[in-house]
Amino acid sequence: MKITDARVVVTSPGRNYATLVVETSDGLVGVGDATLNGRELAVATYLRDHVCPLLVGRDPARIEDTWQYLYKGAYWRRGPVAMTAIAAVDTALWDIKGKTAGLPVYELLGGASRDGVMVYGHADGRDVPELLDSVAEYLQLGYKAVRIQAAVPGMAKTYGVSTGDGQVYEPANAHLPEEGSWESSTYLDFAPTVFEAVRERFGFAVHLLHDVHHRLTPIEAARLGKALEPYRPFWIEDATPAEDQSAFRVIRAHTTTPLAVGEVLTSIWDVQTLITERLIDYVRTSVAHTGGISHLRKLYALGELYGVRSGAHGAGDLSPVAHAAALHLDLTIPNFGIQEYMGHRDPAAEVFRSSYTFTDGYMHPGNAPGLGVEFDEAAAARFPYQPRYLPVNRRLDGTVHDW
Ligand code: GCO
Ligand code: MG
């Protein structure tokens, strides 16, 4: 069997998604998610101009060899654009391998290690009462774990809080990035009161997660971790900017609150110190941005050695193809922790027909051969790409801060 065609489709059914479609001489089709939110066309170009021509004529069964060929062959290593492009190829080849074998991908990865994958949903509120209502809705749906984000008083916009007009909470603007505002001191006083209110109303049986989105200094993050200890968070995420691995030594020295990081990290080398020095508890690297199933599986195996569990990024800007791939891997690894699940807005389901299921807080990838997601190119053509930017964040004095 040979690869006969590889093409990238960028479509916007609710938000932008880039999808790699790989066809074989046996008539099989594999898909991979190539979406890098706000920089979609960079990955599309990387694939179209530099990778697709190399794929045609290759044996789709040689997944690891193709991974190494694209990674080492480029000479320029790592980085979100290259690693998302390689991830898309890798994922599509696993999809094809599953379809060739007539098996769901998780069976090829060693089979299920659990019955279902615990996922967490995103509760949010423009104030604490609204957040409490949002948490109640998730619990009603059966979620066992909920991420809680509330608007920080005095800030024009807070990350993770929807504007209430049906827009996803990461407002993407067509012309210029939207601007949010931030002051760490206000946030640090406010965050524990949010946890206190949620625990008071719902008790301790539900897992509570919180995303700091890279905004604190190491000692501020340490203070937050300590302040939240009585409320026993499942984790605090991205407490400091992720690229500074040594920051986590400071946070770790001060608090037992579990730490998660990694959604912007793209390789096993980016988390080497974090894992081998046991500086974190959950690693958030994703199938979509971290070189695909093949590379993420190695990264998780490293985590297993050091007691670090998975907690993969699964925001709505990772397509249903990436979500399916994540579920297959989550189902198999011994050190699974939790999987983020934000869902996808309509009309994404018209373009991506997925066979994964949600029951009582747990997801399953389904038993269709391959990944179990069909990509409808005719439907995709109805939703053309729309230029969009993620927001920029400023401190109250105007200084650009991490968003
Ligand atoms: C999360 C993430 C997302 C990112 C988004 C960027 O934890 O879900 O932080 O919300 O901001 O994926 O494109
Ligand atoms: Mg995050």
Side-chain angles (χ1 to χ4, degrees), residues 120 147 159 169 211-214 237-238 263 284 313 340:
Y120 70 91
R147 187 183 98 153
Y159 161 81
Y169 69 79
D211 193 346
V212 188
H213 229 248
H214 318 271
E237 172 187 341
D238 289 341
E263 67 183 41
R284 298 230 341 114
H313 185 206
E340 182 178 17

Side-chain angles (χ1 to χ4, degrees), residues 295-320:
H295 192 66
L296 194 55
R297 193 156 65 132
K298 293 178 192 175
L299 190 156
Y300 286 157
L302 178 66
E304 186 192 348
L305 253 64
Y306 292 92
V308 175
R309 293 187 174 178
S310 72
H313 185 206
D317 50 281
L318 285 78
S319 90

Side-chain angles (χ1 to χ4, degrees), residues 109 119 142 149 172 177 204 234 239 269 306 347 357 380 394 401:
L109 298 173
V119 294
Q149 309 287 140
F204 281 79
F234 186 92
W269 298 281
Y306 292 92
T357 51
R394 288 185 193 276
H401 194 64

Side-chain angles (χ1 to χ4, degrees), residues 238 242 260-266 271 274 282-286 290 313:
D238 289 341
V261 72
E263 67 183 41
V264 299
L265 303 178
T266 59
V271 296
L274 292 172
Y282 296 92
V283 63
R284 298 230 341 114
T285 41
S286 71
T290 319
H313 185 206

